[in-house]
Amino acid sequence: MSRIPKLLKALEIPLHGRHMIEASAGTGKTYNITRIYVRLLVEKGLLVKQILVMTFTEAATEEIKDRLASFIDELLQNFDTKPCEFSQALQVSVGGKVMFDRLSLAQ
């Protein structure tokens, strides 16, 4: 029986249990991991030290850390002026003030 890969939708993946994201280079793993991570911060109220993301190389770890910092900065900078679709979904989910406060704490 062959495995049919499922398209990962960061806004829809359940935020409980464990998830393994396995895909070829350039398929959006880091993009989706950063969004799932931000959802854990905002929707679950987790702290940075409570979230574990594992990669296979130090370079990949640094890339995820850099992308997370940039994405959180982007979400906070554009919070009032031009929130992206992801930001709007989070604001609807938990409220704007909660989102802003939790992201600020993670910076």
Side-chain angles (χ1 to χ4, degrees):
M1 180 182 276
S2 65
R3 274 183 27 197
I4 300 172
K6 294 188 326 188
L7 182 62
L8 179 62
K9 297 178 183 176
L11 278 171
E12 297 176 11
I13 193 167
L15 295 180
H16 60 274
R18 296 179 200 151
H19 300 284
M20 182 172 75
I21 299 172
E22 182 180 22
S24 302
T27 58
K29 290 182 302 294
T30 302
Y31 174 91
N32 281 296
I33 288 168
T34 58
R35 275 133 187 90
I36 294 166
Y37 191 99
V38 167
R39 283 187 61 211
L40 289 167
L41 294 171
V42 173
E43 292 179 30
K44 293 293 186 183
L46 295 178
L47 301 174
V48 170
K49 66 182 180 180
Q50 294 175 295
I51 303 170
L52 175 65
V53 176
M54 293 185 65
T55 64
F56 289 103
T57 66
E58 288 181 23
T61 299
E62 290 305 313
E63 181 180 356
I64 288 174
K65 286 165 63 175
D66 291 345
R67 293 253 201 112
L68 271 168
S70 295
F71 187 51
I72 289 170
D73 287 345
E74 178 186 326
L75 289 171
L76 290 170
Q77 288 175 358
N78 298 323
F79 182 78
D80 288 326
T81 56
K82 51 181 177 180
C84 65
E85 182 179 335
F86 184 84
S87 179
Q88 291 173 3
L90 290 179
Q91 289 182 45
V92 167
S93 175
V94 299
K97 180 173 179 3
V98 170
M99 176 188 158
F100 190 86
D101 290 347
R102 289 179 177 172
L103 288 177
S104 296
L105 183 63
Q107 263 187 322

